[in-house]
Amino acid sequence: MPKTQARPDIVALLCDADFKRRRDTNTWTHRDGRPFSKEEQALVFRATRVELEEVSEQLARYREYLRTMDEAPEALQRFLAPFMAQLTQKTLGNAVQLMNEDERTEFDRLLRLIDDPVRPFTPYTF
């Protein structure tokens, strides 16, 4: 039996839900506080297991992204430590000169993680 596909519109709605039921509208709300419309509420109540699993997987990837962003400064320090230990004049430029191409690629990746702002969760991005 072929695996069913997740419907992107339902996944996007579930990703945008904070699952707090509003007493005034008797619906869930979007993350920005707007209540779900009756149509949106009906749509998410028809979500399949595949769609719920897709949302769960996307949220897990986002949590991993946040963890990576949070750990980036320490990861950069650990990465640079062996290079700095080899230097008498401990400057970033001198450390970079000791790196091979793969090490410079990793250095650039870590710098981007530190420099880039944390992106908000968006469906199908992570």
Side-chain angles (χ1 to χ4, degrees):
M1 177 176 222
K3 186 177 178 181
T4 60
Q5 295 287 319
R7 294 168 288 181
D9 54 337
I10 293 179
V11 171
L13 270 175
L14 287 168
C15 287
D16 191 39
D18 69 6
F19 302 105
K20 292 179 185 171
R21 199 163 198 60
R22 289 181 56 131
R23 290 183 183 172
D24 59 339
T25 62
N26 202 26
T27 62
W28 291 344
T29 59
H30 292 272
R31 286 185 288 152
D32 65 6
R34 291 176 297 121
F36 271 31
S37 68
K38 291 189 185 305
E39 295 79 18
E40 289 172 326
Q41 189 76 26
L43 192 58
V44 296
F45 281 150
R46 290 194 304 266
T48 65
R49 178 180 295 267
V50 170
E51 288 149 354
L52 295 172
E53 289 170 355
E54 177 63 28
V55 171
S56 179
E57 290 169 12
Q58 288 189 36
L59 290 170
R61 287 191 300 270
Y62 184 66
R63 284 189 297 275
E64 177 62 20
Y65 161 77
L66 291 176
R67 186 190 62 73
T68 300
M69 294 294 282
D70 188 48
E71 293 175 355
E74 285 184 31
L76 180 62
Q77 290 297 329
R78 285 191 308 273
F79 176 80
L80 286 173
F83 298 104
M84 292 299 191
Q86 297 175 48
L87 298 170
T88 53
Q89 264 196 316
K90 299 183 185 313
T91 66
L92 199 52
N94 290 343
V96 170
Q97 289 178 354
L98 296 175
M99 296 177 193
N100 64 35
E101 186 177 334
D102 290 339
E103 291 164 335
R104 277 192 299 277
T105 300
E106 177 62 6
F107 174 67
D108 289 341
R109 183 187 75 82
L110 290 168
L111 277 180
R112 276 192 310 277
L113 287 174
I114 291 170
D115 190 44
D116 288 348
V118 174
R119 294 181 292 173
F121 177 72
T122 308
Y124 295 105
T125 302
F126 297 93

